[in-house]
Amino acid sequence: MNLHARIVDELGRLIVEGVLGDGQPLVPEELGRRFSASRTVVREALRVLESKGMVTARPRVGTWTQPPEAWDAIDPDVIAWRVGGPDGREHLRELFELRLAIEPQAARMAARHRRPDELAAMAAAYALMADATDTAAFRAADARFHAALVRASGNALIAQLQVPVVAALRAQGEPADTLVAHSRVLTLVLAKNADGAESASRRLLETVAAYRSSAP
């Protein structure tokens, strides 16, 4: 991670944790001393955070943090910072509720719309899940599977939600023993069984929820 990316990451985390802001402006010179970086690098980092809705900059007023409701809720960096922040458990719950709301419907639509490229991507991701020899490989393939499922809905707006879905899975992956449940989703989508695909997707997510609730 280069200096610019590191400063963006550190500032994002500090804003989420409430360390920065709190009624005080963000002064590039002070931040530069804090991170041993030039004012130019700090300003570039602040512009990235402004694009994510986390800060706002105005001439003769300065740069100030924004409240959480102004943040880009589906930006992967914002999601990661919030998951790692003081309200991380609550944010994970919200992410899972989002998945539960969209993935079963996406599975239904995927079975109907039959997008060959995305169905092939789902099948390829499932094969990687089945062949995974460690948790990291399984989770990476799992994220690809669910992203392809959301895209396979054929709805451009729903497809955009693959970003928080993937971010959620990176933050808290699914257990490897859900492989059979994933197989059911894929099989029913490929079989054009919309009702079955929707139900299978919902059961998969309910299984994941039950596993997490029983985990120590």
Side-chain angles (χ1 to χ4, degrees):
M1 183 182 295
N2 61 33
L3 180 61
H4 173 265
R6 182 175 66 82
I7 293 176
V8 169
D9 186 63
E10 287 292 330
L11 289 175
R13 293 181 187 279
L14 291 172
I15 290 172
V16 168
E17 292 170 2
V19 175
L20 292 180
D22 194 25
Q24 297 296 321
L26 304 181
V27 182
E29 291 80 5
E30 294 177 0
L31 294 175
R33 288 192 292 272
R34 180 172 188 158
F35 294 108
S36 300
S38 69
R39 183 170 60 180
T40 298
V41 172
V42 171
R43 288 189 182 279
E44 290 175 352
L46 289 173
R47 278 196 287 269
V48 171
L49 293 173
E50 187 173 18
S51 73
K52 300 176 185 294
M54 300 186 75
V55 303
T56 182
R58 299 177 184 175
R60 297 186 295 277
V61 175
T63 301
W64 297 76
T65 59
Q66 292 281 77
E69 55 266 25
W71 303 347
D72 183 351
I74 66 170
D75 180 275
D77 289 332
V78 174
I79 291 173
W81 294 328
R82 294 185 72 180
V83 167
D87 298 322
R89 185 178 296 274
E90 173 67 14
H91 195 54
L92 282 171
R93 182 188 63 78
E94 292 177 347
L95 287 168
F96 189 77
E97 288 177 348
L98 175 66
R99 292 186 61 201
L100 192 58
I102 65 171
E103 288 193 43
Q105 185 62 26
R108 167 179 285 278
M109 296 170 71
R112 287 178 172 175
H113 293 158
R114 306 287 303 157
R115 292 176 58 89
D117 52 343
E118 302 302 352
L119 297 182
M122 284 181 64
Y126 176 79
L128 290 173
M129 291 170 66
D131 292 339
T133 56
D134 56 53
T135 300
F138 181 87
R139 289 188 172 184
D142 188 26
R144 290 176 59 177
F145 179 93
H146 288 277
L149 172 63
V150 174
R151 293 193 307 268
S153 68
N155 182 298
L157 295 176
I158 292 177
Q160 291 295 314
L161 295 175
Q162 68 179 296
V163 175
V165 166
V166 169
L169 286 163
R170 286 176 177 168
Q172 191 175 47
E174 297 175 333
D177 58 10
T178 59
L179 186 64
V180 173
H182 283 82
S183 175
R184 292 194 188 99
V185 175
L186 176 62
T187 298
L188 290 164
V189 168
L190 294 175
K192 306 180 185 180
N193 185 334
D195 288 341
E198 179 181 0
S199 295
S201 177
R202 191 175 303 281
R203 285 196 299 273
L204 166 59
L205 292 171
E206 289 171 349
T207 299
V208 171
Y211 174 86
R212 289 176 180 165
S213 65
S214 64

